[in-house]
């Protein structure tokens, strides 16, 4: 037994030495660029194996430490990949104005997510960004807004949800779970079809939860190993089922396209299939349902990472501020909403105070997310430096506390005139990104959260349960992706309001 231990320790030491030699001598060739400007400092951060992973779990502290040591922009070698962190203001600004060719989100996503993202081979050529730009137009958004009403109503009252019938007029739920399901329900009607929503929404939520991209990134070894051994994982099976779920709509829409039949308004899956067909034809490829499955799946992922968290925290702030000025101002906009079926995008856009609360929730819950892109060309930086092509370029999305007055305080007015504190540095105050790469889903998601607040306030009363009073203490500020979230359920009581 002792020999085994000795063998393991020796192997570890040999591996560490080899890694050291590789970093110090072989990889140092990387800085021999034939250029008059030097590349941004390439200082391999040296602590093999567990080190980088552990540091990532406390990203903010690590970035501050590295920044103090290497300067505002620095490059780390992490598991064989050069990752350049950009934290200097003028360079962050350049980062947000780089073109997709220069700083590609999709190429970085393909490298970082790998097969943890279903059909990830489509990421580069068939990026979901232009697809989302095509469907999130005012025409479709109008339809989507009305769909939120249908979903909230169905969820509580009809066969689709039967919330009251199953739970009674007063029940306790885990708020984050509740919002997760409600948001996916509404995304299913908006990004797949009414048929999928009406008949298969529970199945879709189950499949999406198995396909959870975050969990797969955190556990790539098991998944990768199963793949290499030719074994089907639960994710592979779920992915096949996801595609199968869409097949009747795909067949229907292909026939419509063939016979030149126009879709009814708001038939999003028709638009998706048409888009997939056109894109494949442009590249001389035949139609495949797999691309449609990839595109629809991509529209759900941001909900998993950010939307349900923002929506749940909005409700918590609403409960917390019920008896003060913040709560009253939210209530005013919510209560003044036109009746069911008559809410317009214009009204939703006019809800500026609620919108400021959304920005404030995102600001307060932004602890460690990082924006990643791949340098497709050398990226020029200040001080005659540049990021070499092929590096992953990262920019931390921070709370930029120094920009704000009393940054710990939930204070929506800081986002409104006359204060507009974020204007002091719009490239570090980024609820939805900036420049050439803002969030494609921003208008959709703001509309979604506002609509749900209006609907929920009409249908139920929500109170925080005493056992969850200390939910702040359970928040994980070191998420691998997205906003900070509680690690334990946050229980709220939902009571039916008579309409
Ligand atoms: C509260 C929810 C959300 C938040 C806080 C959020 C935030 C952000 C941020 C900060 C970025 C910029 C990332 C960067 O700097 O690289 C971004 C990009 C993006 N978001 Fe969102 N997002 C949300 C919801 C959504 C939704 C619902 C969708 C789609 C339906 C979406 C689609 C996208 C896409 C496609 C990009 C990349 C845009 C590009 O690089 O051109 N997001 N989001």
């Amino acid at each position: 037994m002792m020999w085994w231990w000795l063998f393991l320790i020796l192997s570890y030491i040999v591996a560490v030495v080899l890694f050291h030699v590789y970093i110090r001598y072989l990889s140092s060739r990387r800085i021999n660029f034939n250029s008059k400007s030097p590349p941004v400092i390439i200082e391999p951060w040296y602590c093999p194996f567990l080190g980088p992973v552990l540091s990532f779990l406390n990203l903010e502290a690590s970035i501050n430490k590295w920044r103090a040591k290497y300067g505002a922009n620095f490059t780390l070698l992490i598991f064989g990949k050069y990752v350049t962190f950009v934290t200097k203001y003028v360079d962050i600004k350049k980062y947000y104005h780089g073109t997709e060719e220069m700083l590609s989100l999709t190429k970085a996503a393909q490298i970082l997510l790998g097969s943890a993202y279903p059909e990830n081979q489509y990421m580069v050529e068939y990026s979901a960004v232009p697809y989302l730009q095509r469907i999130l137009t005012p025409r479709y958004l109008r339809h989507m807004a009305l769909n939120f009403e249908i979903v909230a109503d169905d969820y509580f009252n009809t066969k689709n949800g039967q919330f009251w019938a199953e739970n009674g007029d007063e029940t306790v739920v885990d708020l984050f779970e509740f919002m997760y399901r409600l948001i996916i329900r509404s995304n299913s009607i908006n990004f797949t079809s009414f048929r999928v929503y009406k008949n298969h929404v529970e199945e879709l939520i189950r499949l999406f939860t198995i396909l959870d991209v975050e969990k797969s990134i955190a556990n790539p070894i098991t998944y990768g190993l199963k793949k290499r051994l030719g074994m089907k994982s639960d994710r592979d099976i779920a992915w096949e089922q996801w595609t199968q779920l869409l097949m009747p709509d795909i067949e229907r829409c292909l026939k419509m396209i063939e016979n030149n039949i126009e879709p009814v308004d708001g038939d999003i899956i028709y638009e998706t299939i048409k888009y997939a067909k056109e894109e494949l034809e442009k590249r001389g490829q035949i139609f495949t349902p797999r691309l449609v499955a990839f595109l629809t799946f991509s529209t759900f992922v941001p909900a998993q990472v950010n939307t349900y968290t923002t929506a749940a925290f909005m409700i918590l702030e609403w409960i917390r501020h019920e008896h003060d000025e913040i709560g009253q101002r939210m209530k005013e906009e919510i209560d003044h909403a036109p009746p069911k079926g008559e809410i317009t995008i214009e009204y939703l856009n006019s809800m500026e105070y609620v919108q400021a609360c959304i920005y404030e929730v995102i600001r307060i819950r932004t602890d460690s997310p990082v924006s990643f892109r791949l340098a497709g060309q050398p990226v020029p930086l200040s001080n005659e430096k540049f990021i070499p092509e092929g590096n992953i370029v990262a920019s931390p999305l921070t709370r930029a506390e120094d920009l704000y007055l009393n940054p710990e305080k939930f204070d929506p007015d800081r986002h409104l005139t006359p204060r507009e504190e974020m204007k002091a540095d719009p490239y570090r105050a980024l609820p939805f990104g900036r420049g050439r790469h803002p969030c494609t889903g921003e208008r959709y998601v703001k509309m979604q959260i506002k609509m749900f607040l209006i609907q929920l306030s009409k249908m139920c009363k929500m109170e925080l349960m005493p056992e969850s009073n200390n939910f702040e203490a359970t928040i994980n500020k070191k998420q691998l992706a997205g906003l900070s979230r509680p690690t334990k359920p946050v229980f709220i009581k939902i009571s039916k309001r008579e309409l």
Side-chain angles (χ1 to χ4, degrees), residues 96 105 129 132 191 299 302 306-307 310 362 371 373 397 430-433 437-441 445:
Y96 275 101
L105 174 83
V129 180
L132 277 167
F191 296 126
T299 58
N306 282 330
T307 313
T310 308
I362 297 173
S371 162
R373 291 172 196 271
L397 304 168
L430 309 159
F432 289 101
H437 308 283
C439 173
T440 322
V445 91

Side-chain angles (χ1 to χ4, degrees), residues 444-489:
Y444 175 79
V445 91
K446 288 194 302 204
M447 199 173 85
Q448 188 174 37
I449 294 172
K450 288 173 187 171
M451 274 304 255
F452 276 139
L453 278 180
I454 296 172
Q455 301 310 314
L456 291 177
S457 77
K458 279 188 192 146
M459 281 189 274
C460 51
K461 182 165 170 42
M462 295 182 166
E463 289 161 73
L464 186 64
M465 294 298 286
E467 64 264 42
S468 293
N469 276 344
N470 74 339
F471 73 87
E472 288 285 354
T474 72
I475 290 175
N476 175 12
K477 299 190 170 175
K478 293 156 193 168
Q479 292 288 150
L480 277 175
L483 303 177
S484 304
R485 277 160 263 174
T487 48
K488 297 218 168 93

